[in-house]
Amino acid sequence: MSDRKIPAAALWALGLTQIIGYGTLYYSFGILVPSIALEFAWPEQWVFGALSASLLAGGLFAPTAGRWADRFGAGRVMAFGSLAAAAALVACAIAPGRVSFVLALMAMELASAFVLYSAAFVAIVQIGGARAQRSITHLTLIAGFATLFWPLTAALHEYLSWREVYLAFAFINVAICLPIHAWLARLSRRADKNASATPAAAGPAGGPVAFTARDRSRVFLLMLGGFAIEGFVLSSILVHMVPLTAALGLGSAGLVVTTLFGPSQVASRLINMLFGGRLAQTWLAVIGATLLPLGLVVLLATTPSVAGAIAFVILFGLGSGLASIVGGTLPLELFGRERYGARLGWVTAARQFSSVLAPFALAMAMAGLGVQPSLWFTAAAGMLGILAFFAIILIRRQPLAPVMLTSTN
């Protein structure tokens, strides 16, 4: 792999498509749900249930989307995804009834597998070569501004119906994202030609690890397990964060405290961008996985202290920010560029599957066991994620001894 990097203009443009993608396909939904539920005479929880089913379908399709990105190029796949996302948004906007709306929503989340982080990370690797890890960190920092679509959607909805908002979002995907993704497809093809004309160089962090076939499978499964556990902990707490703080006796202060989550998430990405360049991604994964249950333990040990709740939200935000980074960089460090898209697709599937089930599981646990026992259980589950990533570090060290012995003979 050549020592090239993705052009700054391309990285910023790709970041813009992530802001638009996450904003139009995901963040806008919660703002529009009350109007959608009212028009279809449907309880809001059922509308959110339709979204959960759609996210699950998108997660199950993610490995296939990743394989296509490997085979045809991420830029081409993302260009197709822009058209598919726009078509799905139009289908949502013109849906005459519940069934057609749910089918269009599923199409929208299937399209997201082609245009969001999984595909964007593959595009960076295909264009950016050996310096892809740092570019992935930069991209997650830029994409953090996708939450701007909360106030933007609310502002548009004051003047437009929810159907007209979705039509406007469809236009944005075609007018802005499609040309950028088509340009990235050309950059990717140019990078492939340049790479084939130059000798291969060391991959990220010195190249993929030389695992045995058995260890390679074990590491892959441990990695998926670790990311699935992270997804479970993050999703279960984030969905219930505001009511949780109220149930723990924080009252209205809990709502104010939760606003620190977003800035903490962005701060973790910025800190990693500035100071984490030489840290192995396996250790970064351990740190990110540790921050999540640590935050819960701090919350439970200090409740109903506002200071403890602030520490919890900051730790949780830092852990979430790191999780979004290592989701792209850890598979690259462990296995290299070959079949990177397919592996990233499996990571997305593992995270999304657990994320869909987590809010319901925590709600049932809180109803049966109470709030505090349920949070202790969630913290214990998070600790299993730490063990999964740490086990990868132990396995990674094993092949070194035979290599050293061979080199001295």
Side-chain angles (χ1 to χ4, degrees):
M1 188 187 302
S2 61
D3 190 30
R4 64 186 185 274
K5 65 178 182 178
I6 186 170
L11 184 61
W12 280 98
L14 185 58
L16 177 60
T17 70
Q18 295 305 287
I19 292 172
I20 293 172
Y22 276 102
T24 61
L25 301 176
Y26 184 73
Y27 287 117
S28 65
F29 187 80
I31 305 298
L32 301 176
V33 160
S35 297
I36 295 170
L38 181 63
E39 181 171 333
F40 289 136
W42 214 4
E44 288 187 20
Q45 59 265 33
W46 284 101
V47 182
F48 279 111
L51 176 64
S52 295
S54 301
L55 288 170
L56 181 59
L60 293 175
F61 189 68
T64 300
R67 287 194 295 271
W68 289 359
D70 286 332
R71 181 177 179 182
F72 302 112
R76 286 183 178 179
V77 165
M78 295 184 82
F80 167 78
S82 296
L83 291 173
L89 286 163
V90 170
C92 280
I94 64 175
R98 299 175 184 176
V99 174
S100 57
F101 176 78
V102 171
L103 292 175
L105 191 61
M106 283 194 172
M108 195 164 73
E109 297 308 325
L110 288 173
S112 71
F114 294 102
V115 295
L116 298 184
Y117 270 163
S118 293
F121 291 164
V122 179
I124 286 176
V125 170
Q126 290 176 349
I127 299 171
R131 301 186 185 183
Q133 285 185 356
R134 187 168 179 82
S135 296
I136 287 174
T137 303
H138 290 173
L139 181 69
T140 60
L141 184 61
I142 299 168
F145 290 97
T147 53
L148 291 173
F149 267 79
W150 279 331
L152 176 60
T153 303
L156 286 173
H157 197 27
E158 289 183 5
Y159 302 97
L160 305 174
S161 70
W162 69 267
R163 294 179 183 274
E164 291 168 336
V165 170
Y166 270 152
L167 287 175
F169 287 166
F171 175 78
I172 292 173
N173 275 273
V174 171
I176 299 177
C177 297
L178 177 59
I180 290 174
H181 292 154
W183 175 46
L184 292 172
R186 292 194 296 272
L187 285 180
S188 180
R189 288 195 295 271
R190 193 181 310 158
D192 284 341
K193 290 179 181 178
N194 292 339
S196 63
T198 57
V209 183
F211 294 119
T212 64
R214 180 187 175 191
D215 284 346
R216 196 177 185 86
S217 298
R218 289 165 61 196
V219 166
F220 185 66
L221 291 175
L222 284 168
M223 182 182 71
L224 292 185
F227 284 133
I229 292 169
E230 274 190 341
F232 179 89
V233 174
L234 276 166
S235 181
S236 61
I237 299 301
L238 288 178
V239 169
H240 296 287
M241 185 177 282
V242 174
L244 274 176
T245 55
L248 291 172
L250 291 168
S252 59
L255 180 60
V256 177
V257 166
T258 57
T259 61
L260 296 173
F261 175 81
S264 300
Q265 189 172 234
V266 173
S268 71
R269 297 167 181 172
L270 183 60
I271 292 169
N272 181 65
M273 184 180 71
L274 296 175
F275 305 109
R278 296 187 178 182
L279 184 66
Q281 300 306 297
T282 43
W283 280 110
L284 195 65
V286 170
I287 293 170
T290 302
L291 290 170
L292 300 179
L294 178 61
L296 287 173
V297 169
V298 169
L299 176 67
L300 289 164
T302 61
T303 191
S305 164
V306 173
I310 290 173
F312 151 68
V313 172
I314 291 174
L315 289 170
F316 216 73
L318 292 172
S320 175
L322 292 180
S324 65
I325 295 171
V326 296
T329 57
L330 184 60
L332 183 61
E333 178 179 88
L334 293 175
F335 303 106
R337 186 184 183 191
E338 185 180 0
R339 299 183 63 233
Y340 174 68
R343 292 193 178 91
L344 208 56
W346 281 107
V347 168
T348 301
R351 276 180 162 171
Q352 211 138 303
F353 183 78
S354 62
S355 296
V356 167
L357 299 178
F360 175 74
L362 183 58
M364 293 294 292
M366 289 190 295
L369 302 175
V371 174
Q372 293 205 18
S374 300
L375 292 182
W376 280 115
F377 172 80
T378 306
M383 292 175 187
L384 294 177
I386 303 172
L387 294 177
F389 290 125
F390 192 73
I392 293 175
I393 294 175
L394 296 180
I395 295 173
R396 182 174 181 173
R397 291 176 175 176
Q398 290 179 0
L400 295 179
V403 173
M404 291 175 64
L405 288 172
T406 301
S407 63
T408 56
N409 286 340

